[in-house]
Amino acid sequence: MKSEEELWSLLREAYHMPYGGAQIALVEQVMQHADAGGHDELRLASRLFATTAYVHGGEPAKSFVTFSWCRAEYDAHPERFDREDEHTLLWHFKYMVNGLLKFPAVPLARTYDVLDDMERRFRAGGHSLHAVYAYRYLVAAHLGDPAAEDWYAKWNAAPRDHNSDCAGCDPGEKVEHLVGLGRDEEAVEMARPVLAGRLTCIEQPQSILTSLMVPYVRTGRLSEAADAHRQAYRRMRGNLADMQSISEHIGFCARTGNETRGLELVQRHLPWLERSPSPQAEMWFSASAALLLGRLDPGLPLGDTTAGELGARLAARARDWAAKFDERNGTSSISGRIEATIGAPPLVEHLPLSAVARRRAETGVEVGAALAAPAERELPTDPAALLDRAWQLYEEHRMDAAAAAFERFDELLPEPPPELAVRRLDGRARLIAIRDDGGPAAEALFLEVAAAHRALGEELKGLAAQSRAVLCRQADEAMLADLVALIERIVAHEGADADVRAEARLRAESALLRLERVEEALAAVDAAIAEGPERPSLRAELGARRARGLLVFGRYDEALASADESLEQYTALGTPPPAGIPSLIRAHALGNLERFDEAVTSFDAALALAADRSLRLSALVGRARARLAADRPADAIDDLVEAVADHVAQGEDLPAALLRYDLATAYNHAGQPLDAAEAAESALDVLDRAGAQEQADQTRYVLSRIYRELGETDLALGLLEALATNLDGYDNLPARGRMLQEAAQLLYEADRDAQAAERFAAAAEAFRAAGVVQAEMYARRMRALALGRRHGRLARRARGGRRPVALALRHRRRRRTVAGLAAGDARLRRGPGLHRRRPARRRRPPLRGRGGGAALDRLARRRPRRRLPARRVPHAPGRPGRRGAQAALGAGRGAAGLADRAEFGMDAGGVAGGPGPLRRGRTHPRRVSEPVAGHAPARRGVRARGGWVRD
């Protein structure tokens, strides 16, 4: 049995926790012990607070019980309530009226009884009926009763008092009324003072912004509508109690041509249906999700179902609840609204909601077309000349144009003679091999090519085609052995000249790279060079391939020299498109040498030359990362946005997510933390669904830093706690300790000392197990400081006399009005529950004393905040931190993973196995071994002429 002193301490800790299951569990624990111990004041205080916790923690049904207990207790023992307690109880009447309507199993008469009791008590206390009229309007509007207009007029006419919703939220509720009547301009005008920052509170501006999304679109304020969605949704996305409001954002996406974004929201919040805060929230979410899914391809797979099947189930679910509400209410109002939601028409064809979406809208859905080379000149009409042109386009890496030329050849000459047919078949095989990254289809086609060449008596060409077929197989030692045997046959063939022998040896390089035998691959390139090929374009390509191998090995000066030599040879040929490859390699080498301005110039040159989509993406992303490394984050944003948009247009969610990480970094360093948070949150959702835990955890760490900049402490804490849980391996103990320590420091700065002490203790244990003594000692010292400060507060409270009765927060419509704070101010912070917004680094408002309030106010006063010294957890043994650029996603260990090395191949700073510290400034572009930005390629290097299928 806990002592009364311990229970008061736990209740204070619950007050500082974000709304949600953890807070509810702690309050329920206090209630149980208070009942068992017979602590009357604590029983009342815990239940007053529990009512608020249940409503804003997503379990409003439980609040009915605690409210009824408090009301009965007041009627039986009014002397136990002081003025603040009475005010809190009156405030909770509004909770009840609002909450009872959301449960169709609760008879409507009960809601009216509560309303009548509320009015009786307000009149008896001499209070204004402003709040009573507001909630009578709410009930009438829910029923579809025409009397709602009369109650609305009385609500407007009644004088406000301290029981009214604040001057920020009262207009917000009226905005919803005006929007429902189609009076959009009036609604926008009424919201203007709230959005101008003259009035704000814990629930604004996200609530009123949600109400304004549709009228903004209908009045042509499209950019305001997009901003309203982005700002409001991200403030409520983590709060189960806001499930009904989130449904409005899903419907908004469905009606503005943002089905992809809407589907993302549906998938993110669909699990909430199993624990929805109320049947009303479940009903509206199901209806909005059905609307969204109805705009998708019915056959679109969504896990073990399809969009059509899921949409039908959700629509039926919404209609079923609507019927129950109508049965309770005796009207058909709810069913009518649900049907209108499920069948709501589009507001606009497409409203871009982000920089990525705007880029897609500007360039068209197929953003890859924007990355293509200039338009192809008119193709020849002679079949033989047309075939020559198709192969020339292929040699220039213009694969789309080459495919079009080959298709035009098929139209002109459906049945070509054998000499042309084998060349056409070879072209089809190579394009399919590039598209599918090898595979059985390409292998079969290459074997057909080999047979066709042999039928024409061309054994050497048949061997070459056969070797390409082998390359299409899965990379293993057997494949390599078969390939080497064929290469030896080609090299030994009497008809093989130096060019043919060199091309054959290059195929060995491709296979060796796939097996990650990089040193042998570089040796194969050197062997090809040693054959002394005569064709200038082949010599230039060999130089580029050698530069790539040297780059992978980290021999950057040599790679730069080899790339320069290849560029000189291509320049002599008139700088054809393949010259973009050594330009790209040169740029990456310069980046690794920290010559960032020169690297940007080389990336510019590569972009101007490279026609292949993957090469252009690599150059775009490389240039962005070079600019990030050169402390020019604002210049990097456009490149990253374009690259992300391209991947999204192609349905490549994972590469887009990995690049969104970089985009979040760029936004954050450019002083745009809200955009940074949105980019990182989008990345995290995809990475979690893809099971990419390492990259997801690195994104969590960066997102936690962004949240801290936004003052969103509870969200940052949640991410750090998740990281500490995920980093549970022995090799990750230093990183686990660091995450726990950072969480502890946030709690300490928020004066949540008991929780801070627990995290410091856990961090110390992780550091002890890892053998990081200095970090362990620091964590133990901070634990002692946190405990000392907590005990000091307990002692002061004991000296303060009578204990406080209630710690309950006013419900979310008891607003703290804060003048002069602009909506969306990055200095405001919130928790994942009620979104308790306040200026960063300000004290929490004193807890109001209930029966001895002065004592409680004294307890709420804080010592001057101790500034923690800026220090970094020591690096794990064997993994020293490096000066200079940090890894874009921290330190990781997979050889092919995104996070296993710094941007230009340098080891990442920070604790081994975990995210390194995020610095402003240098964030290096990723090394050239990732040809398509964001991919972790199976084979390394920039693909030249179709890579491993190249002669």
Side-chain angles (χ1 to χ4, degrees), residues 51 63-73 96 110:
T51 302
S63 70
F64 304 156
V65 177
T66 54
F67 169 78
S68 297
W69 188 98
C70 292
R71 182 172 61 170
E73 182 74 2
M96 295 306 108
R110 183 175 176 186

Side-chain angles (χ1 to χ4, degrees), residues 315 426 456 500 520 903:
D426 194 9
L456 294 173
V500 171
E520 295 175 65
E903 298 303 330

Side-chain angles (χ1 to χ4, degrees), residues 36-53:
H39 308 306
D40 290 336
E41 288 183 328
L42 188 57
R43 294 172 72 199
L44 175 58
S46 59
R47 281 173 171 79
L48 281 172
F49 181 61
T51 302
T52 297

Side-chain angles (χ1 to χ4, degrees), residues 853-864:
L856 181 55
D857 286 345
R858 285 197 299 273
L859 291 175
R861 297 189 190 114
R862 299 177 178 170
R863 297 177 181 177

Side-chain angles (χ1 to χ4, degrees), residues 87 90-95 97-98 114-116 118-119 122-123 127-139 151-152 154-166 170 173-174 811 813-814:
H87 177 77
L90 290 177
W91 195 272
H92 286 174
F93 271 91
K94 297 192 286 186
Y95 277 166
V97 175
N98 190 38
V114 173
L115 255 177
D116 292 342
M118 175 182 176
E119 181 172 348
F122 273 50
R123 289 185 184 276
H127 306 296
S128 169
L129 297 184
H130 182 271
V132 175
Y133 293 149
Y135 280 80
R136 288 202 181 277
Y137 160 79
L138 177 69
V139 174
W151 290 119
Y152 181 77
K154 291 181 179 181
W155 174 20
N156 277 326
R160 292 176 45 80
D161 68 357
H162 59 289
N163 290 314
S164 301
D165 288 348
C166 85
D170 195 60
E173 292 152 355
K174 293 174 181 176
H811 102 68
R813 303 191 187 280
R814 169 208 164 196

